[in-house]
Amino acid sequence: MRTPFTRRHSLRSLFLVVSAASLVACSRPAPPEEPVRAVKLLTVGVGALQSSLEYAGEVRARVESRLGFRVAGKIVQRQAELGQRVKAGQVLAQLDPRDYQLAADAARAQLAAATTQRDLAAADFRRYQALKEQNFISGAELERREATLQAAQATLDQARAQLSSQGNQAGYTTLVADVSGVVTGIEAEPGQVVAAGTPVVRIAQDGPRDVVFAVPEDKVAHIARGQDVAVRGWSGGAPLAGRVREVAASADAATRTYQVKVALEGSDAPALGATVYVTPKALSHAGVAAIKLPTSALRQEGQATAVWVYDPATSTVRSQVVQIATADGNDAVVASGLAPGMQVVATGVHVLSPGQKVMVYRPKVVVAPVPEAQTAANSAAIPPVPAASAAAAASSAK
């Protein structure tokens, strides 16, 4: 028979067992140990750079003129077309010449009037000169007639110059090419009223060709006149040689780059406006020894770039900050932070942590299966065992 004490003891024991089970169920399991990761390593070495700085350029004429009328007026005709080859003296466009022809006619009439006045003054001077010789007039009167003749002569000279000027103005209504070349731009159309000097036609003169390209501010200091430049066409063809002819003294207001002009050597220059690739020899890094790493080995650590360096003594990795100078194809050129002979992690850098133990990844060697035909051939090549020999071997085994 259970007593009250025994019943209380049993209930207390049950409560302790239930509480212990609850505490065991609520406790967190121990975190699993981090696995030892296998990493691919590469040994840092010094190699030669392969890439060079290359810029896109355009072939242009060394001299390109923007031709316009020397007088204002309305364009009535334009003979030049884009891409047309023109010769010196060829008519390119014409203005309405009627106002200038009327002005020339007015100047011609003034010249005729001035000629008449000069002739009359000359006749008067001769008559008064004869009277002076007979002492019929004073010398002062003759001097006045001489002054009138000189004024009439000056008026005649002025009218003659005015007629010549008006004739030139009428001639300026016809725009002619002053050099031979190719029309590379049309900047005005028939019916348009243009002012004196407004560009109408742009002509690239025949002769030497230049390649024009732009370089950023940090590279312009390395380019100087006379340096060699390699030029290759976008559409292929043999490479061309050139020399720097001109470097802009100030940056372009829109692009903030500096324009460089390269004179092409030889007569086989590409067509005007062709796209070419320019490689300045002064900016070439081909053959320069440097440390290169694949981009998969780099990671961002704050504001710096870092790599994982493997320590073979402890089989752990540590973070090493490096400075990247430039790119060479798909590789990054390391300026500082690494030395030849060091081993760095090549891939999977985002899953590692400082001091983590790693193992060097070694590719598995897969043995290729032997074809059945080769197995059968090997079996056929083994000579059969005689029956007597087989029986003797069995008896000895027993």
Side-chain angles (χ1 to χ4, degrees), residues 69 71-76 95-96 188-196 198 200:
F69 292 100
V71 294
K74 178 181 179 180
I75 301 176
V76 296
L95 293 177
D96 186 357
E189 297 295 338
Q192 182 176 345
V193 177
V194 295
T198 301
V200 176

Side-chain angles (χ1 to χ4, degrees), residues 7-33:
R7 191 179 299 110
R8 288 196 301 271
H9 182 72
S10 300
L11 292 174
R12 183 178 181 182
S13 300
L14 179 61
F15 176 75
L16 292 176
V17 171
V18 172
S19 299
S22 301
L23 290 175
V24 172
C26 295
S27 61
R28 296 181 180 178
E33 296 183 0

